Amino acid sequence: MNQIALKVIPALLVGCTVILKPSEQTPLSALLFANLIHEAGFPKGVFQLVNGYGSNHVGEWLASHTDIDMISFTGSKRGGREVTLAAASTLKRASLEMGGKGANIIFDDIIEDGDMDEFKSAIENGVWNVMSNSGQTCNAPTRMLIPEEYWDFALKVAKEEVESIQVGSAHIEGDDHIGPVVSEAQYNRIQEYIQSGIDEGATLLVGGLGKPPISDYDDLHQLQQHYQTGYYVRPTIFTDCKPNMKIWKEEIFGPVLCLTKYTSEEEAITLANDSKYGLTNYVHTYDNERQLRLARKLESGMIEFNSVSLSGSAPFGGVKLSGNSREGGVWGLEDFCIVKSVSGLA
């Protein structure tokens, strides 16, 4: 629903008519949104909903249709490439918001007089931001970079934080657990990534293959109703991750975090930028000059310092394989506009 609203509402506000084609796997939010549009009294034809598959089907037909002037797409890099190729036949603009592989650089200047609370909190928040929504968040900080001097401390904190997270049905009350991933296909994909991390020599700190052990749960009655059919993934952390590893390079879209150490600011920047993606990077430092340096040098459309969320009016979007769109605020409106130059008016 968030992705729908960030596209449909700005397009309607600037005067466009809209055809929405949701993912074939998750169409229910789009159907609900269409009902809301109808109940709000929009004129017929201003908004239309078309369900269907992407490749060689509805998605490709829409992207290549001569009567459609612009495509706004959110999804995988594979889907983004297919949309771009289909749109190219009519030279229409394709605005893309795709995946991410965000780095979370934690600097030791947040430690003051030996007080580790800020440092510990940065690690805990970083872990939770990867695990929440069962890891299915494009701008999750899935690569955490730790100063070598505090490596052992960071591993202990990260492991304890993950072990405090249960996996269970949304029927269970409380906010200390995460749910299943969206589909069997996504579950299998995540398992393949975890296996690749093991095969390529990363150290498995916590989690791993398969579903969480049923003995980990307090409310067994609640769990047993959903455990067999739900696609639950164990929250997982790999350490000693190298830039050539698949789990470091590719977006997993699951509750899997990669940790590695660095020895200098320059190395941290190099590691963070060593990605084909460039959506959101995260930095924890109170050094103002360092903040400015990293704001310029990090290759991403968004940078978040010290867990301060971006403003609701700030543009959301990335660079490189994360796409070229900007959603939200004035930029989100301009994404659906064409610049027109006019001269000689009275």
Side-chain angles (χ1 to χ4, degrees):
M1 188 65 82
N2 173 69
Q3 300 307 118
I4 292 169
L6 282 171
K7 298 178 185 299
V8 174
I9 292 175
L12 293 174
L13 282 173
V14 300
C16 299
T17 56
V18 176
I19 299 173
L20 172 64
K21 193 210 83 65
S23 165
E24 57 267 23
Q25 294 185 354
T26 55
L28 298 183
S29 295
L31 293 170
L32 175 59
F33 188 89
N35 285 332
L36 296 174
I37 288 282
H38 177 71
E39 292 174 12
F42 277 74
K44 291 183 178 180
V46 168
F47 171 88
Q48 299 178 70
L49 176 68
V50 179
N51 283 295
Y53 293 96
S55 299
N56 302 312
H57 209 270
V58 174
E60 185 173 335
W61 299 339
L62 288 171
S64 60
H65 201 287
T66 55
D67 289 341
I68 292 176
D69 297 319
M70 183 262 194
I71 293 287
S72 180
F73 170 83
T74 294
S76 68
K77 65 180 181 181
R78 178 187 59 80
R81 286 183 177 129
E82 291 180 355
V83 165
T84 301
L85 288 171
S89 63
T90 58
L91 298 182
K92 66 169 60 70
R93 185 158 59 91
S95 180
L96 308 175
E97 198 278 284
M98 297 181 291
K101 193 67 179 176
N104 184 7
I105 310 175
I106 302 177
F107 287 99
D108 58 11
D109 64 65
I110 63 175
I111 302 171
E112 296 184 2
D113 300 324
D115 186 347
M116 302 296 292
D117 286 350
E118 291 279 354
F119 194 81
K120 180 173 182 286
S121 178
I123 296 169
E124 291 171 341
N125 290 338
V127 169
W128 178 249
N129 286 341
V130 173
M131 304 302 163
S132 64
N133 203 38
S134 303
Q136 300 165 119
T137 309
C138 58
N139 61 335
T142 51
R143 298 178 297 147
M144 185 180 291
L145 308 182
I146 300 294
E148 185 175 36
E149 182 179 355
Y150 297 96
W151 179 246
D152 292 338
F153 176 83
L155 296 189
K156 179 176 181 295
V157 172
K159 186 172 186 290
E160 290 175 351
E161 181 66 14
V162 164
E163 289 174 340
S164 73
I165 302 172
Q166 290 193 337
V167 183
S169 169
H171 297 81
I172 301 173
E173 296 183 1
D175 59 359
D176 60 347
H177 70 282
I178 60 175
V181 295
V182 69
S183 67
E184 182 180 14
Q186 185 60 22
Y187 173 85
N188 291 335
R189 183 173 183 267
I190 294 167
Q191 298 303 307
E192 290 173 2
Y193 274 112
I194 294 174
Q195 184 64 60
S196 76
I198 296 170
D199 293 343
E200 292 182 345
T203 301
L204 186 62
L205 180 67
V206 62
L209 294 165
K211 293 184 178 181
I214 198 166
S215 59
D216 286 357
Y217 295 90
D218 298 325
D219 193 337
L220 294 180
H221 174 71
Q222 288 265 17
L223 178 67
Q224 286 167 350
Q225 297 179 49
H226 311 281
Y227 186 81
Q228 296 303 321
T229 55
Y231 301 113
Y232 298 104
V233 176
R234 300 173 70 182
T236 297
I237 294 180
F238 282 103
T239 69
D240 304 312
C241 300
K242 302 295 189 296
N244 63 335
M245 293 180 178
K246 189 175 180 180
I247 57 172
W248 177 271
K249 295 188 297 183
E250 299 185 16
E251 183 185 42
I252 299 172
F253 219 61
V256 181
L257 171 63
C258 297
L259 266 69
T260 195
K261 65 185 76 170
Y262 68 89
T263 57
S264 67
E265 178 182 311
E266 291 73 21
E267 184 184 11
I269 293 171
T270 299
L271 287 169
N273 287 339
D274 185 22
S275 173
K276 295 179 180 179
Y277 293 99
L279 191 55
T280 312
N281 282 311
Y282 302 78
V283 183
H284 292 80
T285 178
Y286 293 138
D287 185 327
N288 290 339
E289 292 184 0
R290 173 178 279 164
Q291 288 178 345
L292 291 174
R293 284 196 302 272
L294 268 71
R296 293 188 176 97
K297 291 182 178 181
L298 289 175
E299 298 169 355
S300 56
M302 298 173 287
I303 300 172
E304 185 177 298
F305 285 99
N306 300 326
S307 300
V308 178
S309 299
L310 293 168
S311 164
S313 61
F316 184 101
V319 297
K320 299 193 279 191
L321 287 186
S322 291
N324 55 11
S325 74
R326 290 297 180 268
E327 299 179 338
V330 173
W331 295 269
L333 297 172
E334 291 179 348
D335 222 25
F336 295 95
C337 295
I338 295 173
V339 175
K340 180 183 289 187
S341 299
V342 179
S343 65
L345 293 177

Tab-separated table of all heavy atoms in Angstrom, residues 297-342:
chain	number	residue	atom	x	y	z
A	297	LYS	N	30.696	11.336	-0.145
A	297	LYS	CA	31.431	10.220	-0.731
A	297	LYS	C	30.626	8.932	-0.854
A	297	LYS	O	30.935	8.086	-1.710
A	297	LYS	CB	32.695	9.942	0.092
A	297	LYS	CG	33.745	11.043	-0.027
A	297	LYS	CD	35.000	10.693	0.771
A	297	LYS	CE	36.075	11.773	0.630
A	297	LYS	NZ	37.306	11.422	1.383
A	298	LEU	N	29.619	8.744	-0.021
A	298	LEU	CA	28.844	7.507	-0.092
A	298	LEU	C	27.929	7.527	-1.315
A	298	LEU	O	27.215	8.498	-1.549
A	298	LEU	CB	28.028	7.310	1.181
A	298	LEU	CG	28.832	6.962	2.438
A	298	LEU	CD1	27.930	6.912	3.656
A	298	LEU	CD2	29.581	5.641	2.260
A	299	GLU	N	27.953	6.468	-2.068
A	299	GLU	CA	27.233	6.389	-3.335
A	299	GLU	C	25.842	5.800	-3.110
A	299	GLU	O	25.600	4.605	-3.289
A	299	GLU	CB	28.034	5.534	-4.326
A	299	GLU	CG	29.400	6.125	-4.653
A	299	GLU	CD	30.287	5.167	-5.417
A	299	GLU	OE1	29.878	3.993	-5.619
A	299	GLU	OE2	31.398	5.571	-5.814
A	300	SER	N	24.928	6.659	-2.701
A	300	SER	CA	23.552	6.230	-2.474
A	300	SER	C	22.638	7.432	-2.582
A	300	SER	O	23.052	8.574	-2.379
A	300	SER	CB	23.397	5.574	-1.093
A	300	SER	OG	23.833	6.441	-0.063
A	301	GLY	N	21.385	7.156	-2.917
A	301	GLY	CA	20.422	8.247	-3.041
A	301	GLY	C	20.005	8.820	-1.707
A	301	GLY	O	19.527	9.957	-1.636
A	302	MET	N	20.185	8.061	-0.626
A	302	MET	CA	19.801	8.505	0.715
A	302	MET	C	20.872	8.095	1.715
A	302	MET	O	21.481	7.028	1.584
A	302	MET	CB	18.455	7.887	1.116
A	302	MET	CG	17.304	8.290	0.212
A	302	MET	SD	15.768	7.395	0.578
A	302	MET	CE	16.156	5.767	-0.077
A	303	ILE	N	21.092	8.951	2.713
A	303	ILE	CA	22.028	8.657	3.792
A	303	ILE	C	21.366	9.070	5.099
A	303	ILE	O	20.865	10.189	5.223
A	303	ILE	CB	23.362	9.395	3.619
A	303	ILE	CG1	24.034	8.979	2.308
A	303	ILE	CG2	24.302	9.104	4.796
A	303	ILE	CD1	25.248	9.790	1.943
A	304	GLU	N	21.377	8.171	6.054
A	304	GLU	CA	20.738	8.418	7.351
A	304	GLU	C	21.800	8.402	8.447
A	304	GLU	O	22.478	7.400	8.640
A	304	GLU	CB	19.680	7.351	7.612
A	304	GLU	CG	18.874	7.568	8.868
A	304	GLU	CD	17.788	6.524	9.037
A	304	GLU	OE1	16.900	6.464	8.167
A	304	GLU	OE2	17.837	5.770	10.041
A	305	PHE	N	21.924	9.529	9.149
A	305	PHE	CA	22.906	9.632	10.226
A	305	PHE	C	22.238	9.425	11.580
A	305	PHE	O	21.166	9.987	11.866
A	305	PHE	CB	23.597	11.004	10.207
A	305	PHE	CG	24.613	11.166	9.109
A	305	PHE	CD1	24.286	11.829	7.937
A	305	PHE	CD2	25.886	10.639	9.237
A	305	PHE	CE1	25.208	11.979	6.917
A	305	PHE	CE2	26.830	10.776	8.229
A	305	PHE	CZ	26.489	11.447	7.068
A	306	ASN	N	22.890	8.608	12.391
A	306	ASN	CA	22.550	8.455	13.808
A	306	ASN	C	21.078	8.134	14.046
A	306	ASN	O	20.427	8.671	14.951
A	306	ASN	CB	22.953	9.717	14.574
A	306	ASN	CG	24.444	9.988	14.467
A	306	ASN	OD1	25.253	9.069	14.411
A	306	ASN	ND2	24.823	11.259	14.401
A	307	SER	N	20.534	7.271	13.200
A	307	SER	CA	19.166	6.756	13.348
A	307	SER	C	18.089	7.829	13.263
A	307	SER	O	16.972	7.638	13.751
A	307	SER	CB	19.026	5.999	14.685
A	307	SER	OG	19.916	4.908	14.748
A	308	VAL	N	18.418	8.966	12.644
A	308	VAL	CA	17.406	10.010	12.420
A	308	VAL	C	16.746	9.743	11.073
A	308	VAL	O	17.386	9.834	10.027
A	308	VAL	CB	18.042	11.414	12.441
A	308	VAL	CG1	16.982	12.473	12.147
A	308	VAL	CG2	18.696	11.681	13.793
A	309	SER	N	15.461	9.412	11.100
A	309	SER	CA	14.755	9.060	9.867
A	309	SER	C	14.635	10.265	8.943
A	309	SER	O	14.568	11.412	9.390
A	309	SER	CB	13.364	8.524	10.193
A	309	SER	OG	13.448	7.356	10.978
A	310	LEU	N	14.571	9.985	7.655
A	310	LEU	CA	14.374	11.047	6.679
A	310	LEU	C	12.999	11.676	6.843
A	310	LEU	O	12.033	11.014	7.221
A	310	LEU	CB	14.513	10.489	5.263
A	310	LEU	CG	15.905	10.008	4.854
A	310	LEU	CD1	15.830	9.229	3.558
A	310	LEU	CD2	16.853	11.185	4.708
A	311	SER	N	12.909	12.953	6.539
A	311	SER	CA	11.638	13.662	6.582
A	311	SER	C	10.651	13.043	5.597
A	311	SER	O	11.045	12.511	4.553
A	311	SER	CB	11.856	15.138	6.240
A	311	SER	OG	10.634	15.767	5.908
A	312	GLY	N	9.370	13.126	5.928
A	312	GLY	CA	8.348	12.614	5.031
A	312	GLY	C	8.316	13.317	3.696
A	312	GLY	O	7.811	12.786	2.708
A	313	SER	N	8.866	14.538	3.628
A	313	SER	CA	8.896	15.287	2.368
A	313	SER	C	10.209	15.109	1.614
A	313	SER	O	10.400	15.699	0.560
A	313	SER	CB	8.669	16.784	2.643
A	313	SER	OG	9.699	17.294	3.477
A	314	ALA	N	11.115	14.303	2.171
A	314	ALA	CA	12.392	14.064	1.504
A	314	ALA	C	12.194	13.071	0.356
A	314	ALA	O	11.364	12.160	0.449
A	314	ALA	CB	13.419	13.519	2.494
A	315	PRO	N	12.944	13.223	-0.730
A	315	PRO	CA	12.804	12.284	-1.850
A	315	PRO	C	13.376	10.917	-1.511
A	315	PRO	O	14.450	10.803	-0.937
A	315	PRO	CB	13.601	12.955	-2.972
A	315	PRO	CG	14.611	13.799	-2.266
A	315	PRO	CD	13.935	14.277	-1.011
A	316	PHE	N	12.643	9.866	-1.874
A	316	PHE	CA	13.065	8.487	-1.650
A	316	PHE	C	13.500	7.905	-2.987
A	316	PHE	O	12.719	7.868	-3.942
A	316	PHE	CB	11.900	7.676	-1.074
A	316	PHE	CG	12.258	6.254	-0.706
A	316	PHE	CD1	12.500	5.908	0.607
A	316	PHE	CD2	12.338	5.272	-1.678
A	316	PHE	CE1	12.818	4.598	0.956
A	316	PHE	CE2	12.659	3.961	-1.350
A	316	PHE	CZ	12.894	3.627	-0.033
A	317	GLY	N	14.739	7.441	-3.058
A	317	GLY	CA	15.224	6.846	-4.293
A	317	GLY	C	16.715	6.637	-4.253
A	317	GLY	O	17.408	7.140	-3.359
A	318	GLY	N	17.228	5.888	-5.225
A	318	GLY	CA	18.628	5.522	-5.186
A	318	GLY	C	19.374	5.811	-6.467
A	318	GLY	O	18.912	6.555	-7.334
A	319	VAL	N	20.566	5.205	-6.548
A	319	VAL	CA	21.428	5.302	-7.726
A	319	VAL	C	21.883	3.893	-8.087
A	319	VAL	O	21.554	2.926	-7.413
A	319	VAL	CB	22.647	6.213	-7.466
A	319	VAL	CG1	22.208	7.638	-7.170
A	319	VAL	CG2	23.498	5.681	-6.292
A	320	LYS	N	22.635	3.791	-9.164
A	320	LYS	CA	23.141	2.508	-9.655
A	320	LYS	C	21.974	1.533	-9.858
A	320	LYS	O	20.910	1.938	-10.360
A	320	LYS	CB	24.235	1.966	-8.713
A	320	LYS	CG	25.446	2.912	-8.610
A	320	LYS	CD	26.645	2.263	-7.949
A	320	LYS	CE	26.581	2.246	-6.452
A	320	LYS	NZ	27.856	1.840	-5.825
A	321	LEU	N	22.096	0.285	-9.445
A	321	LEU	CA	21.031	-0.689	-9.686
A	321	LEU	C	19.837	-0.509	-8.761
A	321	LEU	O	18.864	-1.274	-8.847
A	321	LEU	CB	21.578	-2.113	-9.549
A	321	LEU	CG	22.470	-2.602	-10.679
A	321	LEU	CD1	22.818	-4.078	-10.480
A	321	LEU	CD2	21.818	-2.409	-12.039
A	322	SER	N	19.883	0.480	-7.885
A	322	SER	CA	18.713	0.789	-7.071
A	322	SER	C	17.707	1.652	-7.824
A	322	SER	O	16.610	1.901	-7.314
A	322	SER	CB	19.137	1.491	-5.771
A	322	SER	OG	19.833	0.602	-4.928
A	323	GLY	N	18.071	2.128	-9.004
A	323	GLY	CA	17.110	2.834	-9.831
A	323	GLY	C	17.384	4.311	-9.965
A	323	GLY	O	18.429	4.822	-9.566
A	324	ASN	N	16.383	5.034	-10.521
A	324	ASN	CA	16.562	6.445	-10.844
A	324	ASN	C	15.372	7.301	-10.419
A	324	ASN	O	15.305	8.472	-10.756
A	324	ASN	CB	16.791	6.617	-12.348
A	324	ASN	CG	15.663	5.989	-13.167
A	324	ASN	OD1	14.625	5.610	-12.633
A	324	ASN	ND2	15.880	5.865	-14.468
A	325	SER	N	14.415	6.726	-9.718
A	325	SER	CA	13.217	7.486	-9.345
A	325	SER	C	13.447	8.283	-8.067
A	325	SER	O	14.406	8.028	-7.327
A	325	SER	CB	12.027	6.542	-9.142
A	325	SER	OG	12.171	5.822	-7.923
A	326	ARG	N	12.568	9.260	-7.842
A	326	ARG	CA	12.528	9.980	-6.567
A	326	ARG	C	11.067	10.079	-6.166
A	326	ARG	O	10.277	10.745	-6.823
A	326	ARG	CB	13.174	11.370	-6.679
A	326	ARG	CG	14.680	11.354	-6.866
A	326	ARG	CD	15.383	10.729	-5.669
A	326	ARG	NE	16.833	10.698	-5.805
A	326	ARG	CZ	17.528	9.692	-6.317
A	326	ARG	NH1	16.895	8.631	-6.792
A	326	ARG	NH2	18.843	9.723	-6.356
A	327	GLU	N	10.716	9.388	-5.087
A	327	GLU	CA	9.340	9.357	-4.627
A	327	GLU	C	9.211	10.125	-3.325
A	327	GLU	O	10.069	10.029	-2.451
A	327	GLU	CB	8.868	7.915	-4.434
A	327	GLU	CG	8.903	7.110	-5.725
A	327	GLU	CD	8.469	5.671	-5.559
A	327	GLU	OE1	8.543	5.165	-4.415
A	327	GLU	OE2	8.065	5.055	-6.555
A	328	GLY	N	8.113	10.879	-3.190
A	328	GLY	CA	7.883	11.648	-1.976
A	328	GLY	C	8.227	13.109	-2.154
A	328	GLY	O	9.147	13.475	-2.889
A	329	GLY	N	7.458	13.986	-1.491
A	329	GLY	CA	7.719	15.423	-1.539
A	329	GLY	C	7.526	16.002	-2.931
A	329	GLY	O	6.857	15.431	-3.798
A	330	VAL	N	8.145	17.160	-3.165
A	330	VAL	CA	8.036	17.833	-4.455
A	330	VAL	C	8.596	16.961	-5.578
A	330	VAL	O	8.040	16.901	-6.678
A	330	VAL	CB	8.775	19.190	-4.408
A	330	VAL	CG1	8.821	19.829	-5.792
A	330	VAL	CG2	8.095	20.115	-3.421
A	331	TRP	N	9.690	16.235	-5.290
A	331	TRP	CA	10.326	15.406	-6.319
A	331	TRP	C	9.397	14.284	-6.762
A	331	TRP	O	9.406	13.887	-7.918
A	331	TRP	CB	11.642	14.850	-5.793
A	331	TRP	CG	12.647	15.920	-5.540
A	331	TRP	CD1	13.590	16.394	-6.420
A	331	TRP	CD2	12.808	16.677	-4.340
A	331	TRP	NE1	14.330	17.387	-5.830
A	331	TRP	CE2	13.883	17.587	-4.549
A	331	TRP	CE3	12.178	16.682	-3.108
A	331	TRP	CZ2	14.310	18.482	-3.576
A	331	TRP	CZ3	12.590	17.575	-2.129
A	331	TRP	CH2	13.648	18.464	-2.371
A	332	GLY	N	8.588	13.773	-5.841
A	332	GLY	CA	7.636	12.736	-6.192
A	332	GLY	C	6.549	13.227	-7.123
A	332	GLY	O	6.006	12.459	-7.926
A	333	LEU	N	6.211	14.519	-7.044
A	333	LEU	CA	5.267	15.114	-7.987
A	333	LEU	C	5.929	15.349	-9.341
A	333	LEU	O	5.361	15.055	-10.398
A	333	LEU	CB	4.737	16.441	-7.435
A	333	LEU	CG	3.933	16.386	-6.131
A	333	LEU	CD1	3.664	17.793	-5.629
A	333	LEU	CD2	2.624	15.635	-6.323
A	334	GLU	N	7.159	15.866	-9.293
A	334	GLU	CA	7.863	16.188	-10.539
A	334	GLU	C	8.179	14.942	-11.360
A	334	GLU	O	8.348	15.021	-12.577
A	334	GLU	CB	9.145	16.956	-10.223
A	334	GLU	CG	8.884	18.360	-9.681
A	334	GLU	CD	10.160	19.114	-9.358
A	334	GLU	OE1	11.233	18.466	-9.345
A	334	GLU	OE2	10.080	20.322	-9.106
A	335	ASP	N	8.255	13.774	-10.700
A	335	ASP	CA	8.525	12.535	-11.421
A	335	ASP	C	7.463	12.249	-12.479
A	335	ASP	O	7.725	11.558	-13.465
A	335	ASP	CB	8.591	11.368	-10.423
A	335	ASP	CG	9.727	10.405	-10.728
A	335	ASP	OD1	10.710	10.831	-11.359
A	335	ASP	OD2	9.635	9.233	-10.327
A	336	PHE	N	6.261	12.786	-12.275
A	336	PHE	CA	5.160	12.542	-13.201
A	336	PHE	C	4.850	13.757	-14.077
A	336	PHE	O	3.786	13.842	-14.683
A	336	PHE	CB	3.900	12.133	-12.423
A	336	PHE	CG	4.049	10.828	-11.709
A	336	PHE	CD1	4.437	10.778	-10.382
A	336	PHE	CD2	3.842	9.634	-12.376
A	336	PHE	CE1	4.595	9.569	-9.717
A	336	PHE	CE2	3.997	8.412	-11.734
A	336	PHE	CZ	4.376	8.379	-10.392
A	337	CYS	N	5.778	14.691	-14.124
A	337	CYS	CA	5.590	15.909	-14.931
A	337	CYS	C	6.618	15.958	-16.054
A	337	CYS	O	7.674	15.340	-15.989
A	337	CYS	CB	5.736	17.158	-14.062
A	337	CYS	SG	4.480	17.346	-12.787
A	338	ILE	N	6.298	16.751	-17.092
A	338	ILE	CA	7.227	17.032	-18.177
A	338	ILE	C	7.495	18.535	-18.182
A	338	ILE	O	6.573	19.346	-18.093
A	338	ILE	CB	6.639	16.608	-19.538
A	338	ILE	CG1	6.466	15.094	-19.585
A	338	ILE	CG2	7.515	17.064	-20.692
A	338	ILE	CD1	5.745	14.597	-20.817
A	339	VAL	N	8.754	18.922	-18.270
A	339	VAL	CA	9.110	20.337	-18.323
A	339	VAL	C	8.742	20.886	-19.697
A	339	VAL	O	9.118	20.308	-20.726
A	339	VAL	CB	10.612	20.531	-18.050
A	339	VAL	CG1	10.992	22.003	-18.220
A	339	VAL	CG2	10.972	20.056	-16.643
A	340	LYS	N	8.014	21.995	-19.707
A	340	LYS	CA	7.616	22.630	-20.968
A	340	LYS	C	8.113	24.068	-20.973
A	340	LYS	O	7.847	24.828	-20.042
A	340	LYS	CB	6.088	22.604	-21.124
A	340	LYS	CG	5.588	23.246	-22.425
A	340	LYS	CD	4.063	23.246	-22.486
A	340	LYS	CE	3.530	21.839	-22.692
A	340	LYS	NZ	2.045	21.848	-22.913
A	341	SER	N	8.836	24.444	-21.985
A	341	SER	CA	9.331	25.810	-22.129
A	341	SER	C	8.405	26.579	-23.067
A	341	SER	O	8.053	26.100	-24.147
A	341	SER	CB	10.755	25.811	-22.688
A	341	SER	OG	11.636	25.143	-21.821
A	342	VAL	N	8.020	27.807	-22.666
A	342	VAL	CA	7.095	28.631	-23.441
A	342	VAL	C	7.660	30.041	-23.546
A	342	VAL	O	8.168	30.588	-22.548
A	342	VAL	CB	5.695	28.672	-22.802
A	342	VAL	CG1	4.743	29.551	-23.599
A	342	VAL	CG2	5.135	27.255	-22.643
